């Protein structure tokens, strides 16, 4: 049984499905919704103390907060609590790092069902997370 579950959440229908699945299948677990502000490779980062900080616009932060507010509303409708967090970087790397940092037992992630050449060449975020994750990954389709 999973006690702490990480759900990467971007407000998409698949991410909503994943969040609802986490609530339905793990009624006693603490659920953490994570929004990753994607910063493309090659963007400059700055060192702040011992941690790498990527520059984020106020608009991007506000959007992330709005997306997570919708996740909180879903939790409230289901009578559940929800922890939320916003991070920056490459989504698959940050999701795995957050899972390690938050000591979660399970990641529940929505599949965006990429098709064709882009999926073959790039792979989906869900697939990359599943390959790199130190904990089990449940992909909601």
């Amino acid at each position: 049984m999973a006690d702490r579950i990480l759900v990467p959440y971007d407000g998409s229908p698949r991410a909503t499905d994943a969040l609802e699945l986490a609530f339905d299948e793990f009624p006693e677990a603490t659920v953490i919704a994570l929004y990753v502000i994607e910063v493309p490779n090659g963007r400059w980062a700055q060192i702040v103390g011992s941690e790498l900080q990527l520059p984020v616009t106020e608009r991007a932060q506000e959007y992330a907060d709005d997306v997570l507010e919708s996740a909180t509303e879903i939790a409230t409708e289901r009578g559940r609590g929800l922890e939320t967090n916003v991070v920056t970087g490459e989504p698959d790397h940050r999701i795995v790092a957050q899972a390690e940092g938050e000591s979660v037992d399970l990641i529940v992630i929505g599949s965006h069902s990429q098709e064709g050449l882009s999926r073959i060449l790039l792979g989906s975020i869900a697939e990359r997370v599943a390959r790199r994750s130190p904990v089990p990954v449940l992909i909601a389709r």
Side-chain angles (χ1 to χ4, degrees):
M1 187 56 98
D3 292 324
R4 293 181 56 78
I5 299 172
L6 180 67
V7 180
Y9 189 79
D10 63 3
S12 69
R14 296 288 184 180
T16 300
D17 291 344
L19 185 62
E20 291 173 345
L21 178 67
F23 289 143
D24 292 344
E25 296 298 320
F26 304 95
E28 301 299 319
T30 298
V31 178
I32 305 161
L34 174 69
Y35 184 89
V36 180
I37 298 173
E38 187 170 2
V39 178
N41 285 339
R43 294 284 292 198
W44 291 97
Q46 44 187 305
I47 299 292
V48 178
S50 62
E51 191 171 316
L52 185 67
Q53 297 290 320
L54 298 169
V56 175
T57 66
E58 184 176 324
R59 185 171 168 186
Q61 183 65 47
E62 288 173 359
Y63 179 79
D65 292 341
D66 288 345
V67 168
L68 289 176
E69 180 61 33
S70 70
T72 302
E73 289 171 5
I74 293 167
T76 301
E77 289 169 4
R78 292 173 174 267
R80 297 288 302 272
L82 181 69
E83 295 179 20
T84 61
N85 198 2
V86 177
V87 296
T88 59
E90 293 179 58
D92 56 317
H93 292 277
R94 296 301 293 158
I95 292 165
V96 170
Q98 193 73 18
E100 292 170 339
E102 292 283 342
S103 300
V104 301
D105 304 305
L106 176 68
I107 298 172
V108 179
I109 187 169
S111 169
H112 287 282
S113 301
Q114 289 181 315
E115 295 179 8
L117 189 57
S118 66
R119 181 175 183 183
I120 293 169
L121 295 176
L122 301 175
S124 72
I125 292 171
E127 289 171 325
R128 291 191 303 264
V129 168
R131 282 196 306 265
R132 298 183 61 236
S133 177
V135 299
V137 177
L138 175 58
I139 300 176
R141 291 184 171 249

